[in-house]
Amino acid sequence: MSKKEPKLKFNAAWELAPAPEDTKHISIKKQYDLFINGEFVKPNSKKYFATYNPATEEKIAEVADADERDVDKAVKAARVAFNSWSKLSGAERGKYIYRIARLMQERAREFAVIETMDGGKPIRESRDIDVPLAANHFFYYAGWADKLEYAFPNRNPKPLGVAGQIIPWNFPLLMAAWKIAPALAAGNTVVLKPAETTPLTALKLAELIRDSGLPKGVVNIITGAGKTGAAIVNHPDINKIAFTGSTDVGKLIQKSIAGSNKKLTLELGGKAANIIFEDAPLDQAVEGIINGIFFNQGHVCCAGSRLFIQESVADVVIRKLKDRMETLRVGDPMDKNTDVGAINSKEQLMKISEYIKIGKNEGAEMYQSSCSIPKKGYFCKPTLFLNTSQSHRIVQEEIFGPVLAIQTFRTIEEVIEKANNIPYGLSAGVWTDKGSKIFNLTTKLRAGVVWANTYNKFDPTSPFGGYKESGFGREGGLHGLAAYLEL
Ligand code: NAP
Ligand code: MG
């Protein structure tokens, strides 16, 4: 080995060892520290905050509250690690990332259970969607690590440096994977902060990363609330901020880094139009509407929260929709037959309830499924509003809950105009039998993602991101990799 080669090496012990993960055992500690420079350390303030199970209102664990000094420590560790990590060959980096992906698969059950306990989403979704997709992001980007020159020919790809990554509470593990995997593949190091109400799977990921033998300081995971996020954003030695969250906080971040050299990607809110034409396969479309708005209790940035139905089929679609809503099982997220789990927090439930009141006061007609909801925990019945119009707040503003606003339309021109007449531009859905209509609409809808005859489908190979107040930059695919490279 020449003197110039970095010292990072695989630890032979874990390369040879079988992975004896006891996947039946779910281990949650009473208290979690900050993951900085490869180990768990106490927060400078010695302060901890509680994270709760929103389905039972019970405290699950205490989590460290990081302040500016902790952020500084994490950034310093990431800076030191960057020197060697960025010089490691892409093939070596790829091996580490594959290792993370495989360990995630081995511990999938533990991740799924903890995700559901901490955030309230149905176990069926954590198990079948969040965790496998998160692992797939690591697999996918691991494959690019040694092919950057081929991915971006003649563009001399170089990592940016230390990436500060801030994620929301709706897909905690998946958002961590979306952020960490491309950053590492490109040769960056990371300081990531999960949301205050859902820190546990990111901390489990920290344990996994420690066990994977990833060199110290390459990934640092620190917990806290908004103040901790702001400290990351404002740290002078960060090269890139990747933020997923609300449009309001996104705007704040954009202001606070203006004039600095930091690169920025923002994945913000949405209010997607899901458009059903009279020639659509209606039963399939109804499934798509249900999935579009009730998946993850509607805590989905790309949720199909505005439904546009062509007038001639409005009555039949609404009848089918109401019938289908009656069959949804709302309740215990740990029950594998549950369709709609708990609202993520008391605050979010209050926000959604407020919007339901606003909808009624605006004169829209409300319909809720007749299901009963548990006495304890934060739950909301699947809800839809009929007779809404473009000026209603429930049509214009992101509710981030299981609440659908329905309008009807006659012509394509009319629905395109209405779909686009909104501050957001993250996603949309189109349901029709005609390919030509799909192509016509996908070019005219100002939305980063347009699904045709399906909804809420995600894949690591396809870029995701918005227009207008839904943010800028893309995650996923090569676009997502480019966002972590100097080209
Ligand atoms: P949020 O309130 O904006 O919080 C997002 C993250 O930013 C959290 O970790 C939060 O910390 C942190 N934060 C809060 N204030 C901050 C500040 N001043 N500076 C830096 N960081 C700060 O959003 P949320 O309520 O968690 O998530 C829901 C929003 O995310 C929705 O609007 C949704 O549409 C959007 N979202 C977008 C996408 C996308 O890909 N476009 C994907 C998922 C979600 P604490 O929570 O700990 O306070
Ligand atoms: Mg929680």
Side-chain angles (χ1 to χ4, degrees), residues 95-245:
K95 282 192 209 168
Y96 283 108
I97 305 169
Y98 277 124
R99 172 78 179 165
I100 293 171
R102 286 199 305 271
L103 282 173
M104 193 175 282
Q105 287 182 317
E106 282 165 20
R107 300 179 189 184
R109 184 171 178 275
E110 191 176 21
F111 275 108
V113 169
I114 294 174
E115 195 73 310
T116 284
M117 284 175 70
D118 203 16
K121 66 174 67 198
I123 187 72
R124 195 157 33 100
E125 293 178 9
S126 322
R127 183 194 66 190
D128 297 347
I129 298 169
D130 294 62
V131 180
L133 254 184
N136 282 349
H137 270 267
F138 283 102
F139 277 118
Y140 172 73
Y141 281 110
W144 279 121
D146 63 348
K147 302 174 193 72
L148 299 180
E149 299 287 346
Y150 301 94
F152 307 101
N154 305 318
R155 294 180 70 187
N156 193 22
K158 292 266 175 300
L160 300 174
V162 177
Q165 308 182 319
I166 299 164
I167 58 173
W169 45 258
N170 57 343
F171 292 94
L173 181 69
L174 186 59
M175 290 299 115
W178 278 29
K179 299 253 177 306
I180 295 174
L184 298 192
N188 303 277
T189 56
V190 163
V191 176
L192 174 126
K193 187 197 95 68
E196 184 182 356
T197 60
T198 54
L200 293 183
T201 45
L203 290 162
K204 274 281 145 190
L205 178 59
E207 287 175 2
L208 180 157
I209 284 172
R210 179 199 57 196
D211 299 349
S212 79
L214 187 78
K216 287 178 183 206
V218 173
V219 172
N220 304 275
I221 295 181
I222 57 175
T223 43
K227 264 194 359 233
T228 316
I232 295 176
V233 169
N234 294 324
H235 194 288
D237 198 31
I238 290 229
N239 303 95
K240 147 108 191 178
I241 295 290
F243 173 80
T244 299

Side-chain angles (χ1 to χ4, degrees), residues 402-430:
V403 182
L404 179 66
I406 303 181
Q407 298 183 69
T408 58
F409 70 95
R410 282 188 194 161
T411 67
I412 284 207
E413 295 70 35
E414 177 193 355
V415 77
I416 292 173
E417 197 195 313
K418 282 183 172 166
N420 286 337
N421 184 9
I422 189 122
Y424 296 110
L426 189 58
S427 61
V430 182

Side-chain angles (χ1 to χ4, degrees), residues 282-292 321 324 327 431 455:
L282 293 186
D283 288 327
Q284 204 180 315
V286 166
E287 284 309 304
I289 299 166
I290 293 279
N291 169 265
L321 190 56
R324 181 68 177 91
T327 67
W431 298 80
Y455 207 90

